[in-house]
Amino acid sequence: MIRIERGAWETMVAHAESLFPNECCGAMLGKVDDDSKRVHIAVPIENAFNGSQAARYELRPEDLLAAEREARKNGMDLIGIFHSHPDCDAYFSETDLKNSCPWYSFVVLSVKAGRFHHANSFLPNMEQTAADKEELIYG
Ligand SMILES: [Zn+2]
């Protein structure tokens, strides 16, 4: 289960809506207790994909490292990555799976006609061949 606090959630939705019709992306910082994760801070990160960003995002490794440093500084961990699907449902695509890593939660926000619509969180397996849905609570 992953719980995203109101402030972090508002940051994610605002970032997703402001970059519509392109995909946004960012990092989620927080804490993990047993099976439950709590996101305290969302960090918007520039979509570095060199091409049409309407259906693709890419994170620079140095931006992820900076997010990780920011987390440590606040006594937290980098626990997940978020991105948006403009005019598309919040599913985990083949590309998403290929570019994922098994130790993060991946939250996908569906944005339709410029407004947040719904969201899901996914946990890729070690082989990156499938991703289970994870219970997501936000706001
Ligand atoms: Zn995606």
Side-chain angles (χ1 to χ4, degrees), residues 25-89:
C25 52
M28 300 185 296
L29 318 184
K31 287 177 182 164
V32 182
D33 295 299
D34 298 324
D35 269 354
S36 139
K37 303 166 190 166
R38 186 177 279 266
V39 176
H40 300 291
I41 301 174
V43 182
I45 294 177
E46 187 193 347
N47 184 345
F49 182 63
N50 186 13
S52 169
Q53 296 187 351
R56 194 79 184 264
Y57 80 100
E58 202 175 294
L59 289 159
R60 291 186 194 93
E62 57 265 39
D63 288 340
L64 269 186
L65 280 173
E68 205 161 322
R69 274 197 299 272
E70 170 90 9
R72 295 271 160 71
K73 208 176 69 191
N74 290 288
M76 299 175 201
D77 289 310
L78 172 57
I79 60 177
I81 304 294
F82 69 93
H83 75 283
S84 62
H85 280 179
D87 282 332
C88 197
D89 285 332

Side-chain angles (χ1 to χ4, degrees), residues 23 57 83-85 91 93 96 108:
E23 286 198 11
Y57 80 100
H83 75 283
S84 62
H85 280 179
Y91 70 107
S93 71
D96 289 337
V108 182

